[in-house]
Amino acid sequence: MDWQGQKLAEQLMQILLLIAAVVAFVAGYTTASFRTMMLIYAAGVALTTMITVPNWPFFNRHPLKWLDPSEAEKHPKPEVAVSSSKKKSSKK
């Protein structure tokens, strides 16, 4: 899954959960049944999970081009700079 696919998956999740919540609330309110509301919302969560969790092909429309391993060996790795100075805390 690429970066745009992750953004799309998150947007889909938010939209689908909001729709499921609204539909569940309206159905639960009209039938005066908390159980119906919770079952409809649980079905919405299950549907949202089945749509957004698997790595579907439409989530990978913009794949990243990685550096070839043989090319990566030609470039030196960055070194960590070690600082010997200590910061003094000023107390008043």
Side-chain angles (χ1 to χ4, degrees):
M1 185 180 294
D2 56 35
W3 296 108
Q4 287 86 1
Q6 288 179 8
K7 182 178 180 180
L8 176 62
E10 184 175 352
Q11 288 174 340
L12 276 173
M13 178 202 59
Q14 291 176 354
I15 291 168
L16 291 173
L17 287 177
L18 180 65
I19 291 170
V22 170
V23 170
F25 178 77
V26 170
Y29 187 79
T30 56
T31 61
S33 173
F34 184 75
R35 183 175 189 265
T36 301
M37 181 185 73
M38 291 306 291
L39 287 174
I40 292 173
Y41 186 69
V45 169
L47 177 68
T48 300
T49 302
M50 291 184 340
I51 291 174
T52 59
V53 169
N55 190 13
W56 298 106
F58 62 88
F59 288 139
N60 199 18
R61 291 184 181 165
H62 308 283
L64 296 174
K65 184 169 173 24
W66 292 89
L67 188 61
D68 186 58
S70 61
E71 185 70 24
E73 291 174 357
K74 296 177 185 176
H75 301 287
K77 294 181 181 178
E79 295 181 18
V80 178
V82 179
S83 175
S84 62
S85 64
K86 295 182 180 179
K87 293 184 179 180
K88 295 181 181 179
S89 61
S90 60
K91 295 183 181 179
K92 293 182 180 182

